PDB file of all heavy atoms in Angstrom:
ATOM      1  N   ASN M 220      63.682 145.957  72.466  1.00 97.00           N
ATOM      2  CA  ASN M 220      63.826 145.159  71.242  1.00 97.00           C
ATOM      3  C   ASN M 220      62.636 145.352  70.402  1.00 97.00           C
ATOM      4  O   ASN M 220      61.590 144.744  70.647  1.00 97.00           O
ATOM      5  CB  ASN M 220      64.015 143.623  71.713  1.00 97.00           C
ATOM      6  CG  ASN M 220      64.273 142.736  70.514  1.00 97.00           C
ATOM      7  OD1 ASN M 220      63.799 142.960  69.392  1.00 97.00           O
ATOM      8  ND2 ASN M 220      65.050 141.727  70.768  1.00 97.00           N
ATOM      9  N   LYS M 221      62.767 146.202  69.403  1.00 96.00           N
ATOM     10  CA  LYS M 221      61.608 146.586  68.612  1.00 96.00           C
ATOM     11  C   LYS M 221      61.220 145.399  67.695  1.00 96.00           C
ATOM     12  O   LYS M 221      59.982 145.208  67.436  1.00 96.00           O
ATOM     13  CB  LYS M 221      61.950 147.808  67.713  1.00 96.00           C
ATOM     14  CG  LYS M 221      61.985 149.027  68.426  1.00 96.00           C
ATOM     15  CD  LYS M 221      62.212 150.246  67.491  1.00 96.00           C
ATOM     16  CE  LYS M 221      62.144 151.527  68.311  1.00 96.00           C
ATOM     17  NZ  LYS M 221      62.330 152.724  67.405  1.00 96.00           N
ATOM     18  N   ALA M 222      62.088 144.547  67.291  1.00 95.00           N
ATOM     19  CA  ALA M 222      61.743 143.393  66.457  1.00 95.00           C
ATOM     20  C   ALA M 222      60.874 142.451  67.206  1.00 95.00           C
ATOM     21  O   ALA M 222      59.934 141.935  66.683  1.00 95.00           O
ATOM     22  CB  ALA M 222      63.003 142.721  65.988  1.00 95.00           C
ATOM     23  N   SER M 223      61.086 142.311  68.499  1.00 96.00           N
ATOM     24  CA  SER M 223      60.277 141.400  69.368  1.00 96.00           C
ATOM     25  C   SER M 223      59.148 142.179  70.039  1.00 96.00           C
ATOM     26  O   SER M 223      58.386 141.558  70.707  1.00 96.00           O
ATOM     27  CB  SER M 223      61.112 140.776  70.425  1.00 96.00           C
ATOM     28  OG  SER M 223      62.144 139.919  69.794  1.00 96.00           O
ATOM     29  N   GLN M 224      59.140 143.499  69.841  1.00 96.00           N
ATOM     30  CA  GLN M 224      58.059 144.379  70.417  1.00 96.00           C
ATOM     31  C   GLN M 224      58.074 144.150  71.985  1.00 96.00           C
ATOM     32  O   GLN M 224      56.990 143.856  72.584  1.00 96.00           O
ATOM     33  CB  GLN M 224      56.688 144.074  69.764  1.00 96.00           C
ATOM     34  CG  GLN M 224      56.765 144.456  68.323  1.00 96.00           C
ATOM     35  CD  GLN M 224      55.443 144.144  67.571  1.00 96.00           C
ATOM     36  OE1 GLN M 224      55.414 143.320  66.694  1.00 96.00           O
ATOM     37  NE2 GLN M 224      54.329 144.752  68.084  1.00 96.00           N
ATOM     38  N   TYR M 225      59.271 144.325  72.464  1.00 96.00           N
ATOM     39  CA  TYR M 225      59.492 143.954  73.923  1.00 96.00           C
ATOM     40  C   TYR M 225      60.322 144.999  74.566  1.00 96.00           C
ATOM     41  O   TYR M 225      61.351 145.471  73.974  1.00 96.00           O
ATOM     42  CB  TYR M 225      60.269 142.656  73.892  1.00 96.00           C
ATOM     43  CG  TYR M 225      60.616 142.083  75.198  1.00 96.00           C
ATOM     44  CD1 TYR M 225      59.804 141.195  75.896  1.00 96.00           C
ATOM     45  CD2 TYR M 225      61.891 142.408  75.785  1.00 96.00           C
ATOM     46  CE1 TYR M 225      60.173 140.678  77.122  1.00 96.00           C
ATOM     47  CE2 TYR M 225      62.265 141.857  77.024  1.00 96.00           C
ATOM     48  CZ  TYR M 225      61.408 140.976  77.651  1.00 96.00           C
ATOM     49  OH  TYR M 225      61.785 140.433  78.823  1.00 96.00           O
ATOM     50  N   VAL M 226      59.940 145.456  75.754  1.00 98.00           N
ATOM     51  CA  VAL M 226      60.710 146.454  76.524  1.00 98.00           C
ATOM     52  C   VAL M 226      60.735 145.989  77.932  1.00 98.00           C
ATOM     53  O   VAL M 226      59.721 145.448  78.432  1.00 98.00           O
ATOM     54  CB  VAL M 226      60.131 147.889  76.354  1.00 98.00           C
ATOM     55  CG1 VAL M 226      58.725 147.919  76.816  1.00 98.00           C
ATOM     56  CG2 VAL M 226      60.987 148.890  77.051  1.00 98.00           C
ATOM     57  N   SER M 227      61.880 146.193  78.576  1.00 98.00           N
ATOM     58  CA  SER M 227      62.065 145.668  79.981  1.00 98.00           C
ATOM     59  C   SER M 227      62.726 146.719  80.793  1.00 98.00           C
ATOM     60  O   SER M 227      63.379 147.631  80.289  1.00 98.00           O
ATOM     61  CB  SER M 227      62.751 144.335  80.017  1.00 98.00           C
ATOM     62  OG  SER M 227      64.129 144.535  79.562  1.00 98.00           O
ATOM     63  N   LEU M 228      62.589 146.549  82.094  1.00 98.00           N
ATOM     64  CA  LEU M 228      63.198 147.468  83.095  1.00 98.00           C
ATOM     65  C   LEU M 228      63.909 146.544  84.086  1.00 98.00           C
ATOM     66  O   LEU M 228      63.206 145.674  84.737  1.00 98.00           O
ATOM     67  CB  LEU M 228      62.216 148.354  83.769  1.00 98.00           C
ATOM     68  CG  LEU M 228      62.780 149.281  84.807  1.00 98.00           C
ATOM     69  CD1 LEU M 228      63.604 150.384  84.141  1.00 98.00           C
ATOM     70  CD2 LEU M 228      61.664 149.895  85.637  1.00 98.00           C
ATOM     71  N   LEU M 229      65.171 146.769  84.297  1.00 98.00           N
ATOM     72  CA  LEU M 229      65.938 146.041  85.262  1.00 98.00           C
ATOM     73  C   LEU M 229      66.219 147.071  86.426  1.00 98.00           C
ATOM     74  O   LEU M 229      66.651 148.170  86.167  1.00 98.00           O
ATOM     75  CB  LEU M 229      67.248 145.506  84.743  1.00 98.00           C
ATOM     76  CG  LEU M 229      67.145 144.566  83.582  1.00 98.00           C
ATOM     77  CD1 LEU M 229      68.606 144.094  83.160  1.00 98.00           C
ATOM     78  CD2 LEU M 229      66.297 143.311  83.917  1.00 98.00           C
ATOM     79  N   ILE M 230      66.012 146.555  87.630  1.00 98.00           N
ATOM     80  CA  ILE M 230      66.366 147.364  88.795  1.00 98.00           C
ATOM     81  C   ILE M 230      67.366 146.602  89.635  1.00 98.00           C
ATOM     82  O   ILE M 230      67.130 145.488  90.109  1.00 98.00           O
ATOM     83  CB  ILE M 230      65.106 147.615  89.721  1.00 98.00           C
ATOM     84  CG1 ILE M 230      63.908 148.204  88.859  1.00 98.00           C
ATOM     85  CG2 ILE M 230      65.480 148.545  90.887  1.00 98.00           C
ATOM     86  CD1 ILE M 230      62.680 148.421  89.676  1.00 98.00           C
ATOM     87  N   ARG M 231      68.586 147.169  89.654  1.00 98.00           N
ATOM     88  CA  ARG M 231      69.689 146.492  90.370  1.00 98.00           C
ATOM     89  C   ARG M 231      69.656 146.927  91.844  1.00 98.00           C
ATOM     90  O   ARG M 231      69.114 147.989  92.203  1.00 98.00           O
ATOM     91  CB  ARG M 231      70.989 146.877  89.816  1.00 98.00           C
ATOM     92  CG  ARG M 231      71.312 146.205  88.436  1.00 98.00           C
ATOM     93  CD  ARG M 231      72.715 146.683  87.961  1.00 98.00           C
ATOM     94  NE  ARG M 231      72.766 148.097  87.755  1.00 98.00           N
ATOM     95  CZ  ARG M 231      72.205 148.751  86.678  1.00 98.00           C
ATOM     96  NH1 ARG M 231      71.566 148.001  85.770  1.00 98.00           N
ATOM     97  NH2 ARG M 231      72.271 150.010  86.542  1.00 98.00           N
TER      98      ARG M 231
END
Side-chain angles (χ1 to χ4, degrees):
Chain M
N220 184 326
K221 288 187 178 180
S223 300
Q224 295 176 243
Y225 178 93
V226 57
S227 64
L228 179 71
L229 301 178
I230 307 174
R231 286 180 299 282

